[in-house]
Each structure stands twice: as structure tokens, then as C-alpha cells.
Amino acid sequence: MAYDGLILKGGTVKKGLFVLSILILLAGVSAQAQPAAKGLKVFISVDLEGICGVINWDETGQGGPDYPLFRKLMTQEANAAIEGALAAGATEILVRDSHGSGRNILPDLLRPEARLLRDWTYGPLSMMEGIDKSFDAVIFIGYHARAGTPDAVLKHTMTTSLYDVILNGKKMPEAGFNGAIAGYFGVPVVLISGDQAIAQQAKELFGEVETAIVKEAIATAAIMLHPQKAQELIRQKTTGALKKLKDFKPYKLNPPYNLEVDYTEEAMAVKASWIPGAIRTGPRSVSFTSNDFMEMLKLWRLARNVG
Ligand SMILES: [Zn+2]
């Protein structure tokens, strides 16, 4: 009996294995017919000057008495974008801390679904370090208008020693430069937050881009939304933008790439003119031309830091 029982048991096991194999096979066929949807991979570059509430340089760096408050609001706006992205189906999110020291966002207050890139590698991607062609969308939070823009909060382009950075004939805010880097990797910018001035400049450059205007600049002052309202706006706009992802096109510039740098000081143009390939184009300006976008970025990296 024990033997028969064993045969009976073995037969049952064999039948069970057969049924299981069929089920696995069917599951495989079904998986092939309907591939699982890939989650979105989102890159978020976060600056500080365009964060709701920020109006003065002494709020933007270590030593400023109100800096702890504004770095917290910066973290909360990053979180709003993360939450908006998660609601739209993001499964991978990289947050790049893009301001000053690169060490502003409070890691323990950031949503755990995101990874955070802190500090600088001094490589050519700068505020876009971490981007590559595997990303589906780029979001700019806390961005600001280019140097010299009227009615714009803390307007500047990369450093305060530059009047203008002109790329392929277009005056670039940081968002334009960084959008071109995203475009080089084939990734569209879908949303930018900041004041009304950078929202306008982003639309002029990118065409289709969602904007979350968290403050309205008047000369060097600004009317602010309440931070909670600003964060809600960013959350909703992020979800909305990612849900219509196919409407956005990567911002791709065509070679040859021409970069003109207009400094505030003559001495800086003189120093930059010693960079290989530089052409002195005016009392305070130099230009570079290359057919290689990455080479142009490397020259820009050198040119922006002469001083
Ligand atoms: Zn900044």
C-alpha cells in the first residue's frame, strides 16, 4: 500500500507539474502578446532662485539667516514634482541639486522614491549631470530668467560675471542651455517652474513646454503664491505634462554649434581668448565653434570659469 500510495502520489505530482507547465506556457504567451508597460524615467534639475518665496541673494546660500527656510521650500518643490511624476506613472526619478554648492536639498525630507545627485563633478554637464538617453522626460524646478531680463527674480546666466551667453544665435537662460543638453540626449523638457519671466523664455525656446508660475516679478520684487499653492501647482502640472509626454519634442540644436560669451569684465574676455579655438569677438566677448556638441560644452565649461 505504501508503494501504491507512492505511485499514486507520484502520478498526482506529474499531473500537477503538467498543468503548471501549461499555465507557465500560457502566461508566457500572454506576456509576449501584452508586454508590461515600462514606467517613466524622469530627470529633475532643481535650482533655488526660482523657488516660491525666494527674492534676495542672501536667501540662497549658507550664511543667509533665511537660507534654512528656503532650502526646505526647495526640497518641498522637488517633492511636488516627484509626487506629480509618480502619479503619472514614473518608476525611476533622479533629482539633481543644481544650485550653488549642489548641497541644498535636504536628503531626509526628499521623497524616498527619488535618488538625489549632490555636489559637482566639474564635468561639462553641470546642472544636468546624471542625464543620459535612457530618460523619458526632464523637469526644471526653481529656475530663473537669463541675465539682464527686466521684471525677473535674481536673473543671471550661470555666474554673475556674464552679460550674455548666446548659443547658435539665441540668448540663453540656463534653462535653454540645459534644455539643449537634454535635447542632445533626445529627452524633452516637459515642465519648468519659476517666475513669469523664465516661463516666457522657456516657451520662446522650446515651444511646447508646461509652465508652473509660482511668482510674478515686478522689477526686483515679486508677488508670491503661498508655498502650498505653488507646490500643488507643480504637482498638478507635472502629472498633466507627463500624461501627454508625446506632445513634447527634444530641444535639439543643429551643428555647427556656435557659442558666444559676453563677460562683464574685459579681463575675463582676454583670459578666455587663450582657450584653444577661441575667437575674440568684442571688447568683452569671445566665441567658439564646433561640430561636436560635447566639445562645445567642454569649451563652455572653461570659458564660464575664467576669472
Ligand atoms: Zn541657482
Side-chain angles (χ1 to χ4, degrees), residues 47-49 98-100 144 156:
D47 204 351
L48 182 51
E49 292 87 344
S98 298
H99 172 77
H144 53 83
H156 67 286

